[in-house]
Amino acid sequence: MDVELWVRIDPESGDLSAEAELTGFEGFFLHRDLDVTSSSPGVQIEVSADVSVHLDRAHGYRITGGDKVRLSYSGSLPSEMADGTNVLTSDVAELSIYSAWYPVPLDLGSFTWRLHLDLPSGWTFVSNGAPGEGGSLVHDGTAAVGDIALAGARRFVASRLADGVELVTCGSVGDAAGVLGPHIVESLSLLKSWYGEPDGLSHGRVVVTERGGYAYSRMPTVFASAEMAERLTARTVHTLGHELAHFWWNIAPVHGYDDWLNEALAEYSALRLTEELCGADASDKIVRGYQLEAEMSREDPPVCRTEPDDEKSYATNKYNRGSLFFRALSEQLEPNALDALLTRFHDEHAVVGDATTDSLLRHLGAVDQEVAREAAQVLESRSWDGRWPSGAVLTTIP
């Protein structure tokens, strides 16, 4: 799938107008405050019953009559969207898939895109795209998550951290450089010591915008909120650590079962960072939360059979049980063996983004066939509670 966009944004009023050329789309989501006003001759674009649990205030649209579609849309977006994750005010702007400000594929999968922006003077923007011809931004569609994410402000500061990672602040974000900068460097150093050097880290970026809400990653960019820069808490270490870990764990398709690998490995890595930087008490508190969620979700599907749009089981299986799985797995192998295995697993799939549960079990079987057999049993078990099938006593459960 391919998208080319010509977009004019006025952050102060919230007005947005755009032309879009879509290739290979069966349909899309778009914020319901944006009206589709035209399309290619002979092509029909109709509001559909498609909805997404991941998108706030979005309409679904179905396309019939053509593979390449030209359309226009316009409207005025609210100042805050998607529980505060996206904003569009006179001082700061942040737009991504969560606000459905561009035509989002119905399967939420990855796509190639080119973006041409028309912005007010005095504003500076960054995105998860790379510079293209004529001042455009482009993305080749190899990421696990398909998204066009933007952040900008009148008050915009960029500084270079260790290893080439850039820290960008948009708007009034306190002392983000002083609070988060050293922490980002230390976290990335630990992750590299565990899993090796990922491609793209040298041009990675962490963007902190003047908003609340959570952090999210769109490689090679992590988007964080100003409230995370107020002071360095265990919650911030864990939350930001999960997104930083996606520099490594962005290796499986997001629109299928195997997305659990991206989230479970990022969450497991965040748990390790919390233990390393905040102590065992902080990480054990998180694990107890995982356990409680698992015990309260007895009817969830197996971890490796969780649908991408399964809102009920998404966090419990992919984050909580997934992290417990890798923590338990580390105790079944020789010291450092899991890190070595995960380094090889990352290297095999990082470029193409085609990691699967079967490929993980193949790597595991090369290390220990019996552990691989038990791991497969865990991943196919409904309502797994964190205990290993062999009955081994685990420190995974505090």
Side-chain angles (χ1 to χ4, degrees), residues 13-29:
S13 66
D15 290 346
L16 182 152
S17 59
E19 298 284 331
E21 187 171 89
L22 313 181
T23 304
F25 276 61
E26 295 181 353
F28 58 90
F29 296 109

Side-chain angles (χ1 to χ4, degrees), residues 150-204:
L150 300 171
R154 298 181 189 276
R155 183 179 177 183
F156 180 100
V157 179
S159 57
R160 186 66 58 179
L161 304 178
D163 299 319
V165 174
E166 187 178 50
L167 178 64
V168 172
T169 59
C170 297
S172 300
V173 296
D175 185 19
V179 174
L180 295 182
H183 168 65
I184 292 168
V185 171
E186 186 172 16
S187 296
L188 291 175
S189 178
L190 285 167
L191 290 164
K192 283 194 293 184
S193 73
W194 298 333
Y195 311 127
E197 186 85 36
D199 290 336
L201 188 60
S202 61
H203 56 274

Side-chain angles (χ1 to χ4, degrees), residues 61 110 119 151 160 198 201 207 215 227 242 266 296 363 374 396:
Y61 294 85
S110 192
L119 298 168
R160 186 66 58 179
L201 188 60
V207 180
E227 67 182 23
H242 177 102
M296 294 173 63
H363 277 273
E374 293 178 332
T396 299

Side-chain angles (χ1 to χ4, degrees), residues 121-145:
S121 62
W123 282 73
T124 304
F125 271 74
V126 293
S127 87
N128 60 322
E133 294 181 1
S136 65
L137 295 163
V138 300
H139 200 289
D140 62 7
T142 58
V145 176

Side-chain angles (χ1 to χ4, degrees), residues 28-40:
F28 58 90
F29 296 109
L30 198 63
H31 196 285
R32 66 188 186 194
D33 289 351
L34 299 173
D35 296 320
V36 178
T37 57
S38 66
S39 65
S40 304

